[in-house]
Amino acid sequence: MGYTYDTNNIFAKILRGEIPNKTVLETEHSLAFHDIAPQAPVHVLVIPKGPYVCLDHFAQEASDAEIIDYTRAIGKVCEMTGVQPSQGGQGFRAIANTGEAGVQEVPHLHTHILGGRILGRMVSRAAE
């Protein structure tokens, strides 16, 4: 079964200009903006402009140009926000939640870039 994209999700509305955002970066195929409820000093969302529900949907159906642009946009956001270890930053976490088990809240692919502090473990270690 394929994915069905909801054209009324909040990120689709942002892309159409119906909801304002604090843009960090905009490219031909991607948009990056500050999260409205940041969980770290740096918390930026990067979304593709195309109608992709989640990462596997994007990986399977996006054009090469979209995939390259999205990946480079994530790298540019890390550079712009100063979280890249290669540029003196402490590092970052990139998260793309997918589906119910992944606790995806908006059905449009988005990668959270979090940094600016030590983030701790994302998932507890399993009992051994």
Side-chain angles (χ1 to χ4, degrees), residues 1-101:
M1 175 195 261
Y3 287 102
T4 302
Y5 183 77
D6 173 12
T7 59
N8 289 315
N9 75 70
I10 192 169
F11 295 159
K13 291 178 181 181
I14 287 171
L15 287 167
R16 290 193 300 264
E18 296 170 12
I19 297 175
N21 72 89
K22 291 177 62 179
T23 299
V24 173
L25 175 70
E26 184 168 6
T27 66
E28 181 179 358
H29 297 290
S30 305
L31 178 67
F33 51 92
H34 292 281
D35 193 291
I36 61 169
Q39 303 298 304
V42 172
H43 191 167
V44 175
L45 301 175
V46 184
I47 65 172
K49 291 182 177 178
Y52 302 104
V53 175
C54 56
L55 186 57
D56 60 300
H57 184 210
F58 180 76
Q60 293 168 8
E61 296 188 17
S63 69
D64 290 349
E66 289 173 301
I67 293 169
I68 291 167
D69 182 275
Y70 189 68
T71 304
R72 296 266 166 85
I74 289 170
K76 184 68 176 170
V77 165
C78 292
E79 178 186 350
M80 293 171 70
T81 59
V83 297
Q84 283 181 322
S86 65
Q87 301 298 316
Q90 290 181 300
F92 62 93
R93 180 170 292 148
I95 302 171
N97 300 320
T98 298
E100 182 181 356

